[in-house]
């Protein structure tokens, strides 16, 4: 498989001493290991933030940063699974909203308790993923259109379900999950790390991951060599939707209210995290850890821009330009 | 020759399907609104449909090049904001505002095109980042809904100008312009580059230039859509463009534009956009909650595409 490794062989000390490396070779090696770039840029940005903005060196700030990054990060982990197999999920914003809205409504209603609410929300999220996969695999609808369509359907369904005004609910379980800490580390961050570990095993160690990489590198060749498209697609899309659902629940715990549009920021940002993390949007190449770096980087950049009291518009301009700039530096596709 | 004939009939069967569907919709529409074919109705409906038709035309241009434009909604909002914030006095002022808005929209398209052509980034990534950028610029130009369009223009556009439906004229002129472009080398190059980039390059086409030109043209189409929307509503809203990204893609897909570039006709897109517009209105007539609109739209998109894939698979097998 052509997955990028966190430390490519050329970067170990062995490789450095074995022969004198020229500057071009170093650049080439760095190019080959994009997740390292993501974390490198993250480190530099963090340093810059500490030097040029107030409060970025404090523990509480770091804690808040990783906590808020978790919401995006959990969605982005799922998005990575789909993107690696050359799919894309544009319904994550809808699923985040779905899970939060449904959970809040069920939990605040008389019918069920918090556990029922959480289970129902997650089951529905997984169902959306299954529908996405079914459309992509059996109806042969391009992933972008399929997931856009389910996202649209979800937006409409939520409007119908809530009659336009979703309820708010304080679910103690979710509240402590989103805001609580263990040994000073936010539970949300712990959850994100756990999710990343499981997804990392799935993608980089388990057979399903190999299949996903193979499908991303070239579908017809992969199918010809016996890679099961349906099983892999279902695993990827259902995992992605499930994680978006989890993010929705954590967000519900964080804010205590649900809204129809609460997932919207995560749509583009999750894809941006994946791409900034060095995963090829065309599939077949990338590493999950890069996505973690990407999500942290985007959250840090947003926090930095906010700390400068820039208006919403200027912030978005900066973010757009920064994303394009970073991509130009290290995420170009190789010319074919 | 034979291949040409078969491909011609196949593209026309596409069209036949669309027209048939449209007729069914029109008959149903007529049932709810018997004034459908009066000049007043045509004017109002065309004013309402023009933004989507033109936005879909822009999306088509990009998709023919084998790309996809996720920044379309943002650019539409930007053009709208530029057009409406310019204090237009008289006809000259309106023209200046329009030229300004079109220039900005065309430039955003050219930037997208240049990044796609030279930077080696996939169109989906470029336009995704561009959507952040341009919606940010829009918010700087126009932080909240507002702006101003001369009342006379709004009135003439929405209710007819001496009995002439201005939106229809605008759409006709734009489509005639596209027809003209298509017959030139530049228009053909668009199809060539989208269909087979290496082949086009090997045949001596300046593929990068073609891409930049194509994306810029798409920007201009989107800009026209934004101007139309501004005139229709009499003001501008910086976030109104967002749904147009999905709807323009949906119109293209319904119209038979291929995701892989080089295949599809603009008339299909126009029919697709009309279909979506009529369907949306029809849903309103049926009296069910407008909330269902989105659900129906999504389902139709999937069903249409799945059917199309199924039918073409049968045909090629």
């Amino acid at each position: 498989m052509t997955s990028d490794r966190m430390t490519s062989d050329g970067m170990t000390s062995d490789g450095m001493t074995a022969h004198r490396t020229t500057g071009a070779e170093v650049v080439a090696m760095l190019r080959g290991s994009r997740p390292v770039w993501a974390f490198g840029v993250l480190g530099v940005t963090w340093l810059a933030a500490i030097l040029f903005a107030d409060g970025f060196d404090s523990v509480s700030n770091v804690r808040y940063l990783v906590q808020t990054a978790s919401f995006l990060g959990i969605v982005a982990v799922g998005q990575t699974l789909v993107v690696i197999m050359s799919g894309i999920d544009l319904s994550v914003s809808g699923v985040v909203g779905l899970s939060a809205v449904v959970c809040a409504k069920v939990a605040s209603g008389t019918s069920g308790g918090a556990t029922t609410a959480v289970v129902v929300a997650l089951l529905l999220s997984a169902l959306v993923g299954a529908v996405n996969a079914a459309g992509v695999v059996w109806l042969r609808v391009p992933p972008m259109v399929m997931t856009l369509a389910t996202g649209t359907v979800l937006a409409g369904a939520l409007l119908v379900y809530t009659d336009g005004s979703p309820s708010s609910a304080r679910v103690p379980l979710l509240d402590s999950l989103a805001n609580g800490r263990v040994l000073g580390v936010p539970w949300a961050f712990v959850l994100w790390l756990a999710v990343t570990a499981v997804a990392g095993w799935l993608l980089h160690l388990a057979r399903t991951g190999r299949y996903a990489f193979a499908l991303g590198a070239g579908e017809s060749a992969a199918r010809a060599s016996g890679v099961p498209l349906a099983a892999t697609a279902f695993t990827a899309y259902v995992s992605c939707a499930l994680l978006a659902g989890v993010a929705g629940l954590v967000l519900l715990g964080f804010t205590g209210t649900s809204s129809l549009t609460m997932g919207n920021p995560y749509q583009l940002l999750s894809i941006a995290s994946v791409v900034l993390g060095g995963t090829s949007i065309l599939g077949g190449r990338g590493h999950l850890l890069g996505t973690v770096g990407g999500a942290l980087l985007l959250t840090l950049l947003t926090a930095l821009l906010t700390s400068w009291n820039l208006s919403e518009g200027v912030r978005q301009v900066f973010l757009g330009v920064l994303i394009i700039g970073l991509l130009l530096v290290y995420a170009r596709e190789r010319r074919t | 020759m034979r291949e040409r004939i078969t491909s011609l009939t196949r593209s026309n069967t596409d069209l036949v399907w669309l027209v048939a569907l449209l007729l069914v919709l029109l008959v149903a529409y007529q049932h709810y609104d018997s004034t459908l074919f009066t000049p007043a109705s045509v004017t109002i409906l065309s004013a309402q449909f023009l933004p989507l038709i033109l936005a879909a035309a822009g999306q088509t241009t990009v998709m023919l090049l084998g790309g996809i434009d996720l920044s379309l909604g943002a650019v539409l909002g930007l053009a709208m904001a530029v057009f409406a914030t310019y204090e237009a006095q008289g006809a000259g002022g309106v023209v200046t505002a329009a030229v300004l808005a079109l220039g900005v929209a065309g430039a955003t398209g050219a930037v997208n095109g240049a990044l796609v052509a030279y930077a080696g980034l996939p169109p989906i990534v470029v336009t995704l980042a561009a959507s952040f950028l341009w919606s940010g610029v829009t918010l700087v130009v126009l932080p909240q809904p507002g702006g101003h369009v001369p009342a006379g223009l709004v009135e003439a556009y929405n209710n007819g100008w001496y009995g002439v439906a201005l939106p229809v004229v605008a759409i006709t002129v734009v489509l005639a312009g596209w027809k003209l472009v298509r017959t030139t080398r530049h228009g053909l190059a668009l199809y060539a580059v989208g269909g087979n980039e290496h082949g086009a390059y090997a045949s001596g086409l300046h593929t990068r230039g073609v891409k930049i030109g194509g994306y810029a043209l798409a920007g201009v189409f989107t800009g026209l859509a934004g101007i139309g929307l501004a005139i229709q509503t009499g003001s501008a809203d910086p976030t109104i463009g967002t749904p147009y990204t999905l709807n323009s893609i949906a119109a293209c897909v319904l119209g038979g534009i291929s995701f892989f570039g080089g295949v599809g006709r603009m008339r299909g897109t126009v029919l697709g956009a009309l279909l979506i517009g009529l369907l949306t209105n029809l849903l309103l007539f049926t009296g069910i909650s407008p909330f269902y609109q989105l659900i129906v739209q999504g389902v139709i998109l999937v069903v249409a595409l799945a059917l199309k894939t199924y039918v073409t698979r049968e045909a090629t097998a």
Side-chain angles (χ1 to χ4, degrees), chain A:
Chain A
M1 296 307 113
T2 52
S3 71
D4 286 334
R5 292 284 160 79
M6 266 308 292
T7 48
S8 65
D9 296 337
M11 290 187 62
T12 58
S13 53
D14 272 4
M16 288 302 214
T17 49
H19 62 103
R20 290 166 63 85
T21 44
T22 60
E25 273 179 86
V26 173
V27 170
M29 281 188 295
L30 282 175
R31 270 255 163 86
S33 173
R34 291 164 170 186
V36 172
W37 267 92
F39 279 98
V41 174
L42 174 67
V44 172
T45 316
W46 210 313
L47 265 181
I50 291 171
L51 289 178
F52 300 111
D54 287 334
F56 277 88
D57 47 353
S58 74
V59 174
S60 63
N61 207 312
V62 171
R63 193 184 281 145
Y64 185 71
L65 211 68
V66 295
Q67 186 190 2
T68 43
S70 318
F71 314 140
L72 171 62
I74 292 172
V75 181
V77 164
Q79 189 74 259
T80 312
L81 297 177
V82 174
V83 169
I84 286 286
M85 60 162 293
S86 76
I88 192 159
D89 194 342
L90 297 177
S91 68
V92 285
S93 61
V95 176
V96 169
L98 170 86
S99 130
V101 165
V102 168
C103 181
K105 187 145 179 168
V106 174
S108 64
T110 51
S111 54
T115 325
T116 326
V118 168
V119 170
V120 168
L122 288 182
L123 278 180
L124 277 178
S125 303
L127 180 70
V128 175
V131 169
N132 279 337
V136 169
V137 172
W138 290 321
L139 300 181
R140 313 288 308 151
V141 178
M144 199 148 90
V145 179
M146 188 63 214
T147 53
L148 256 181
T150 43
T152 315
V153 171
L154 275 184
L158 283 181
L159 275 170
V160 174
Y161 178 61
T162 60
D163 216 5
S165 55
S167 49
S168 57
R170 280 232 163 261
V171 184
L173 173 77
L174 297 178
D175 186 43
S176 50
L177 182 66
N179 298 311
R181 292 184 211 142
V182 51
L183 303 173
V185 183
W187 268 115
F189 187 56
V190 174
L191 180 68
W192 182 23
L193 290 184
V195 160
T196 308
V198 174
W201 168 80
L202 187 72
L203 191 59
H204 296 291
L205 298 173
R207 190 182 284 168
T208 313
R210 293 194 174 281
Y211 288 156
F213 274 105
L215 281 170
E219 196 192 307
S220 42
R223 280 158 72 98
S225 23
V227 169
L229 172 68
T232 315
F234 269 92
T235 313
Y237 281 98
V238 170
S239 311
C240 179
L242 203 58
L243 288 181
V246 170
L249 293 181
V250 182
L251 265 177
L252 173 66
F254 185 63
T255 58
T257 56
S258 67
S259 91
L260 298 174
T261 56
M262 66 194 291
N264 287 7
Y266 299 98
Q267 180 116 305
L268 297 182
L269 285 176
S270 70
I271 299 170
S273 306
V274 172
V275 180
L276 277 181
T279 296
S280 163
I281 193 82
L282 307 175
R285 222 141 38 86
H287 198 286
L288 200 60
L289 282 180
T291 304
V292 174
L296 281 171
L297 178 62
L298 279 175
T299 314
L300 178 65
L301 284 176
T302 314
L304 197 60
L305 294 174
T306 313
S307 77
W308 286 337
N309 284 325
L310 297 176
S311 75
E312 167 75 24
V314 179
R315 243 185 316 168
Q316 278 200 35
V317 173
F318 263 104
L319 210 57
V321 171
L322 282 172
I323 291 176
I324 295 179
L326 287 174
L327 292 178
L328 284 180
V329 174
Y330 70 85
R332 300 183 186 200
E333 297 299 328
R334 276 181 205 115
R335 293 213 170 274
T336 47

Side-chain angles (χ1 to χ4, degrees), chain B residues 183-223:
Chain B
T183 56
T184 64
R185 311 179 35 174
H186 304 289
L188 284 176
L190 217 67
Y191 277 85
V193 171
N196 182 350
E197 193 176 341
H198 299 288
Y201 183 79
S203 333
L205 280 175
H206 181 40
T207 50
R208 287 170 167 174
V210 171
K211 278 188 184 174
I212 297 176
Y215 275 83
L217 180 61
V220 171
F221 277 134
T222 311

Side-chain angles (χ1 to χ4, degrees), chain B residues 214-288:
Chain B
Y215 275 83
L217 180 61
V220 171
F221 277 134
T222 311
L224 284 169
I227 293 174
L229 196 58
I231 300 178
Q232 191 210 339
T233 56
S235 65
D237 178 344
T239 56
I240 203 171
T242 318
Y244 282 91
T245 308
L246 164 67
N247 284 339
S248 65
I249 296 174
C252 291
V253 167
L254 285 176
I257 312 294
S258 161
F259 266 90
F260 305 105
V263 179
R265 305 292 291 271
M266 192 61 90
R267 54 187 185 200
T269 301
V270 174
L271 291 180
L274 276 177
L275 222 65
I276 292 177
L278 280 175
L279 204 72
T280 313
N281 278 14
L282 207 61
L283 280 174
L284 284 177
F285 286 133
T286 55
I288 57 172

Side-chain angles (χ1 to χ4, degrees), chain B residues 50-97:
Chain B
L50 174 131
L52 180 58
I53 292 177
L54 294 182
Q59 190 68 260
T60 304
T61 314
V62 172
M63 280 173 72
L64 285 177
L65 278 167
I68 186 117
D69 190 353
L70 295 184
S71 67
L72 187 139
V75 171
L76 192 148
L78 179 61
M80 193 184 186
V82 169
F83 181 74
T85 44
Y86 183 85
E87 285 297 324
Q89 304 291 339
V94 170
V95 171
T96 316

